[in-house]
Amino acid sequence: MKLGRLNHIGVATPSIAESIRYYREVMGATKFHEPFDLEAQGVKVCFVDTPDAAGELGKGTQIELIEPLGEDSPIAKFLEKNPAGAQHHVCYEVEDIEDARKWFEEMGKRILGPTRIGAHGTPIFFLHPKDMMGQLTEIMETPKGDAHWSN
Ligand SMILES: CC[C@@H](C(=O)O)C(=O)SCCNC(=O)CCNC(=O)[C@H](O)C(C)(C)COP(=O)(O)OP(=O)(O)OC[C@H]1O[C@@H](n2cnc3c(N)ncnc32)[C@H](O)[C@@H]1OP(=O)(O)O
Ligand SMILES: [Co+2]
């Protein structure tokens, strides 16, 4: 498996609205995508763009703001421990999700649940933070084509 781009950093927040204010007023972010519910993953999501090496917005690493949708959300417990919000996961792209899954399985890394469709519409899976140097790690298949982020 070959490591791809750092697609996004997931940040758990009790309030996407408050986090948007923070990224705009404190961090100087200018591009915020429309928030949407991802019921299947138990979270409300809002992507914030950071520029790529050429200074262009739309293809750089994103901040993924995630707010829980209800008590059963996978981030509910995390927010109980971090009520003000905190960095939650890192997401790396790979060319082929099934190859990547095999790669980690063969190393005995714990994969959390099935491969499913993530917020960018491509397959994703998660790896347990205790097997990944303390970081909850999301692996995402690179979107095909030369697309800018639509969300
Ligand atoms: C928006 C969609 C999608 C995308 O396309 O981008 C997303 O990103 S969705 C994001 C939310 N989804 C997930 O997080 C799914 C995967 N997560 C899980 O399966 C669980 O949350 C978990 C990681 C297995 C944690 O289990 P849980 O039962 O909730 O918590 P525990 O408190 O028992 O945790 C066990 C252990 O791990 C430590 N931990 C938990 N979360 C993290 C974290 N984000 N980063 C680092 N470490 C974490 C936790 O502190 C416990 O450690 P000990 O206390 O030392 O036992
Ligand atoms: Co994510």
Side-chain angles (χ1 to χ4, degrees), residues 6-139:
L6 176 60
N7 181 278
H8 64 261
I9 294 182
V11 175
T13 173
S15 163
I16 281 182
E18 258 182 53
S19 288
I20 288 176
R21 247 192 319 278
Y22 164 79
Y23 278 97
R24 179 180 290 120
E25 292 170 12
V26 179
M27 297 307 296
T30 55
K31 176 67 184 173
F32 298 85
H33 295 259
E34 197 56 43
F36 61 98
D37 291 355
L38 208 56
E39 303 267 359
Q41 310 285 337
V43 288
K44 184 185 195 79
V45 188
C46 174
F47 282 108
V48 184
D49 285 1
T50 73
D52 64 13
E56 197 185 338
L57 290 171
K59 288 183 178 178
T61 298
Q62 293 179 306
I63 306 295
E64 181 186 64
L65 301 173
I66 45 177
E67 187 188 299
L69 279 181
E71 286 166 15
D72 293 337
S73 170
I75 63 168
K77 210 157 149 190
F78 183 84
L79 274 173
E80 267 168 37
K81 290 183 187 167
N82 304 277
Q87 185 190 312
H88 180 259
H89 65 271
V90 286
C91 175
Y92 297 103
E93 293 181 18
V94 295
E95 279 305 316
D96 186 307
I97 199 81
E98 287 312 319
D99 278 359
R101 204 174 161 109
K102 271 191 222 115
W103 167 271
F104 290 112
E105 266 167 1
E106 280 169 15
M107 278 187 279
K109 305 290 182 194
R110 278 168 288 174
I111 298 180
L112 298 164
T115 300
R116 58 248 200 205
I117 298 300
H120 284 307
T122 70
I124 61 161
F125 63 81
F126 285 89
L127 292 150
H128 201 289
K130 297 288 182 196
D131 295 345
M132 302 300 285
M133 307 288 289
Q135 290 187 308
L136 174 59
T137 303
E138 179 182 347
I139 301 295

